[in-house]
Short mmCIF file of all heavy atoms in Angstrom, two decimals:
data_model
loop_
_atom_site.label_atom_id
_atom_site.label_comp_id
_atom_site.label_asym_id
_atom_site.label_seq_id
_atom_site.Cartn_x
_atom_site.Cartn_y
_atom_site.Cartn_z
N TYR A 1 79.37 166.22 60.38
CA TYR A 1 79.58 164.88 60.90
C TYR A 1 78.23 164.19 61.16
O TYR A 1 77.30 164.80 61.62
CB TYR A 1 80.38 164.93 62.21
CG TYR A 1 81.77 165.55 61.98
CD1 TYR A 1 82.06 166.83 62.38
CD2 TYR A 1 82.77 164.78 61.38
CE1 TYR A 1 83.34 167.38 62.15
CE2 TYR A 1 84.01 165.31 61.14
CZ TYR A 1 84.30 166.62 61.55
OH TYR A 1 85.54 167.15 61.31
N PRO A 2 78.17 162.84 60.90
CA PRO A 2 76.90 162.09 61.06
C PRO A 2 76.66 161.73 62.50
O PRO A 2 76.63 160.52 62.86
CB PRO A 2 77.11 160.88 60.18
CG PRO A 2 78.61 160.64 60.22
CD PRO A 2 79.25 161.99 60.32
N VAL A 3 76.49 162.72 63.34
CA VAL A 3 76.31 162.48 64.78
C VAL A 3 74.83 162.37 65.13
O VAL A 3 74.07 163.27 64.76
CB VAL A 3 76.96 163.63 65.61
CG1 VAL A 3 77.19 163.18 67.03
CG2 VAL A 3 78.27 164.07 64.99
N GLU A 4 74.45 161.38 65.82
CA GLU A 4 73.02 161.17 66.13
C GLU A 4 72.61 161.80 67.42
O GLU A 4 71.41 162.00 67.66
CB GLU A 4 72.72 159.64 66.14
CG GLU A 4 72.92 158.99 64.81
CD GLU A 4 72.64 157.50 64.85
OE1 GLU A 4 72.38 156.98 65.97
OE2 GLU A 4 72.68 156.81 63.81
N ASN A 5 73.56 162.15 68.26
CA ASN A 5 73.28 162.72 69.58
C ASN A 5 73.94 164.06 69.70
O ASN A 5 75.16 164.14 69.94
CB ASN A 5 73.72 161.75 70.68
CG ASN A 5 73.14 160.36 70.50
OD1 ASN A 5 71.98 160.13 70.75
ND2 ASN A 5 74.00 159.44 70.07
N VAL A 6 73.16 165.10 69.52
CA VAL A 6 73.77 166.46 69.38
C VAL A 6 72.96 167.45 70.22
O VAL A 6 71.71 167.49 70.20
CB VAL A 6 73.76 166.94 67.93
CG1 VAL A 6 74.32 168.34 67.82
CG2 VAL A 6 74.53 165.95 67.04
N THR A 7 73.69 168.28 70.96
CA THR A 7 73.07 169.44 71.66
C THR A 7 73.90 170.66 71.34
O THR A 7 75.14 170.69 71.58
CB THR A 7 73.04 169.20 73.18
OG1 THR A 7 72.19 168.10 73.47
CG2 THR A 7 72.47 170.45 73.90
N LEU A 8 73.27 171.69 70.82
CA LEU A 8 73.93 172.93 70.43
C LEU A 8 73.30 174.13 71.12
O LEU A 8 72.08 174.13 71.33
CB LEU A 8 73.84 173.13 68.90
CG LEU A 8 74.31 171.94 68.04
CD1 LEU A 8 74.06 172.26 66.57
CD2 LEU A 8 75.80 171.68 68.26
N ASP A 9 74.10 175.08 71.48
CA ASP A 9 73.56 176.23 72.23
C ASP A 9 74.39 177.48 71.88
O ASP A 9 75.62 177.41 71.79
CB ASP A 9 73.63 175.96 73.72
CG ASP A 9 72.96 177.04 74.55
OD1 ASP A 9 71.96 177.63 74.06
OD2 ASP A 9 73.39 177.32 75.67
N TYR A 10 73.72 178.58 71.73
CA TYR A 10 74.38 179.85 71.37
C TYR A 10 73.75 180.98 72.12
O TYR A 10 72.51 181.15 72.04
CB TYR A 10 74.31 180.08 69.86
CG TYR A 10 74.87 181.38 69.38
CD1 TYR A 10 76.24 181.66 69.46
CD2 TYR A 10 74.05 182.37 68.82
CE1 TYR A 10 76.75 182.85 69.00
CE2 TYR A 10 74.56 183.58 68.37
CZ TYR A 10 75.93 183.79 68.43
OH TYR A 10 76.41 184.99 67.98
N LYS A 11 74.52 181.77 72.86
CA LYS A 11 73.98 182.87 73.61
C LYS A 11 74.90 184.11 73.43
O LYS A 11 76.04 184.00 73.02
CB LYS A 11 73.91 182.50 75.11
CG LYS A 11 72.90 181.43 75.43
CD LYS A 11 72.88 181.15 76.90
CE LYS A 11 71.83 180.07 77.24
NZ LYS A 11 71.82 179.71 78.70
N LEU A 12 74.31 185.25 73.76
CA LEU A 12 75.02 186.52 73.66
C LEU A 12 75.21 187.15 75.02
O LEU A 12 74.37 187.02 75.94
CB LEU A 12 74.21 187.49 72.76
CG LEU A 12 74.03 187.08 71.29
CD1 LEU A 12 73.19 188.13 70.58
CD2 LEU A 12 75.35 186.87 70.60
N VAL A 13 76.30 187.89 75.16
CA VAL A 13 76.57 188.68 76.35
C VAL A 13 76.69 190.15 75.91
O VAL A 13 77.56 190.47 75.10
CB VAL A 13 77.86 188.22 77.07
CG1 VAL A 13 78.12 189.14 78.28
CG2 VAL A 13 77.73 186.78 77.47
N SER A 14 75.80 190.99 76.42
CA SER A 14 75.81 192.40 76.03
C SER A 14 76.90 193.13 76.82
O SER A 14 76.90 193.13 78.07
CB SER A 14 74.45 193.04 76.32
OG SER A 14 73.46 192.43 75.54
N LEU A 15 77.80 193.78 76.11
CA LEU A 15 78.91 194.52 76.70
C LEU A 15 78.96 195.95 76.19
O LEU A 15 78.24 196.30 75.24
CB LEU A 15 80.25 193.80 76.38
CG LEU A 15 80.40 192.36 76.90
CD1 LEU A 15 81.72 191.76 76.43
CD2 LEU A 15 80.29 192.31 78.42
N ASP A 16 79.77 196.75 76.82
CA ASP A 16 79.83 198.17 76.46
C ASP A 16 80.86 198.41 75.38
O ASP A 16 81.88 199.08 75.54
CB ASP A 16 80.17 198.99 77.72
CG ASP A 16 79.05 198.94 78.74
OD1 ASP A 16 77.88 199.15 78.36
OD2 ASP A 16 79.34 198.68 79.91
N PHE A 17 80.58 197.76 74.22
CA PHE A 17 81.34 197.99 72.95
C PHE A 17 80.31 198.40 71.88
O PHE A 17 79.11 198.22 72.09
CB PHE A 17 82.00 196.68 72.50
CG PHE A 17 83.18 196.21 73.32
CD1 PHE A 17 83.24 194.95 73.83
CD2 PHE A 17 84.23 197.10 73.55
CE1 PHE A 17 84.34 194.50 74.53
CE2 PHE A 17 85.33 196.69 74.28
CZ PHE A 17 85.36 195.38 74.76
N ASN A 18 80.85 198.88 70.77
CA ASN A 18 79.98 199.05 69.62
C ASN A 18 79.62 197.64 69.10
O ASN A 18 80.27 196.67 69.43
CB ASN A 18 80.70 199.85 68.53
CG ASN A 18 79.74 200.46 67.53
OD1 ASN A 18 78.53 200.11 67.50
ND2 ASN A 18 80.23 201.32 66.67
N SER A 19 78.58 197.57 68.31
CA SER A 19 78.15 196.27 67.81
C SER A 19 79.22 195.58 66.98
O SER A 19 79.87 196.26 66.15
CB SER A 19 76.88 196.40 66.95
OG SER A 19 75.79 196.89 67.70
N PRO A 20 79.43 194.29 67.16
CA PRO A 20 80.31 193.55 66.24
C PRO A 20 79.74 193.62 64.83
O PRO A 20 78.62 194.06 64.59
CB PRO A 20 80.29 192.14 66.79
CG PRO A 20 79.87 192.30 68.24
CD PRO A 20 78.89 193.44 68.24
N LEU A 21 80.55 193.14 63.90
CA LEU A 21 80.18 193.22 62.49
C LEU A 21 80.75 192.02 61.74
O LEU A 21 81.83 191.51 62.11
CB LEU A 21 80.77 194.53 61.89
CG LEU A 21 80.57 194.84 60.43
CD1 LEU A 21 79.07 194.95 60.09
CD2 LEU A 21 81.27 196.16 60.05
N ASP A 22 80.06 191.57 60.73
CA ASP A 22 80.55 190.44 59.94
C ASP A 22 82.01 190.63 59.52
O ASP A 22 82.34 191.69 58.99
CB ASP A 22 79.67 190.23 58.71
CG ASP A 22 78.26 189.81 59.05
OD1 ASP A 22 78.06 189.29 60.17
OD2 ASP A 22 77.37 189.97 58.20
N MET A 23 82.80 189.62 59.72
CA MET A 23 84.21 189.68 59.37
C MET A 23 84.55 188.32 58.72
O MET A 23 84.22 187.28 59.24
CB MET A 23 85.04 189.90 60.61
CG MET A 23 86.53 190.10 60.36
SD MET A 23 87.36 190.59 61.91
CE MET A 23 89.03 190.75 61.36
N ARG A 24 85.19 188.37 57.61
CA ARG A 24 85.45 187.21 56.76
C ARG A 24 85.17 185.84 57.42
O ARG A 24 85.79 185.45 58.38
CB ARG A 24 86.91 187.24 56.31
CG ARG A 24 87.16 186.40 55.07
CD ARG A 24 88.57 186.60 54.53
NE ARG A 24 88.73 186.10 53.16
CZ ARG A 24 89.74 186.32 52.38
NH1 ARG A 24 90.77 187.03 52.84
NH2 ARG A 24 89.81 185.84 51.16
N ALA A 25 84.18 185.13 56.86
CA ALA A 25 83.67 183.88 57.41
C ALA A 25 83.17 184.07 58.82
O ALA A 25 83.56 183.32 59.74
CB ALA A 25 84.71 182.80 57.35
N PRO A 26 82.27 185.05 59.09
CA PRO A 26 81.81 185.29 60.43
C PRO A 26 81.12 184.07 61.02
O PRO A 26 80.23 183.49 60.44
CB PRO A 26 80.82 186.43 60.25
CG PRO A 26 80.36 186.37 58.81
CD PRO A 26 81.56 185.89 58.08
N GLY A 27 81.55 183.70 62.21
CA GLY A 27 80.98 182.55 62.88
C GLY A 27 81.58 181.24 62.41
O GLY A 27 81.87 180.34 63.18
N GLY A 28 81.79 181.12 61.09
CA GLY A 28 82.33 179.89 60.52
C GLY A 28 83.75 179.64 60.99
O GLY A 28 84.07 178.57 61.54
N VAL A 29 84.62 180.59 60.80
CA VAL A 29 86.01 180.41 61.21
C VAL A 29 86.09 180.36 62.72
O VAL A 29 86.94 179.66 63.30
CB VAL A 29 86.93 181.49 60.59
CG1 VAL A 29 86.58 182.88 61.18
CG2 VAL A 29 88.39 181.17 60.85
N THR A 30 85.21 181.09 63.41
CA THR A 30 85.21 181.08 64.88
C THR A 30 84.83 179.72 65.41
O THR A 30 85.52 179.12 66.28
CB THR A 30 84.20 182.14 65.41
OG1 THR A 30 84.57 183.41 64.88
CG2 THR A 30 84.24 182.19 66.92
#
């Protein structure tokens, strides 16, 4: 989208699981 005013942020929370793994369209579909 042609948006002129944009703020994006991405952070991680470390939990007691095994590491996640790429899964069909990782991040994109999410």
Side-chain angles (χ1 to χ4, degrees):
Y1 299 105
V3 197
E4 296 179 355
N5 305 286
V6 179
T7 297
L8 308 174
D9 187 31
Y10 175 68
K11 293 180 179 178
L12 298 177
V13 178
S14 297
L15 299 175
D16 295 312
F17 288 128
N18 200 350
S19 297
L21 179 61
D22 293 340
M23 185 173 181
R24 200 172 196 170
V29 66
T30 303

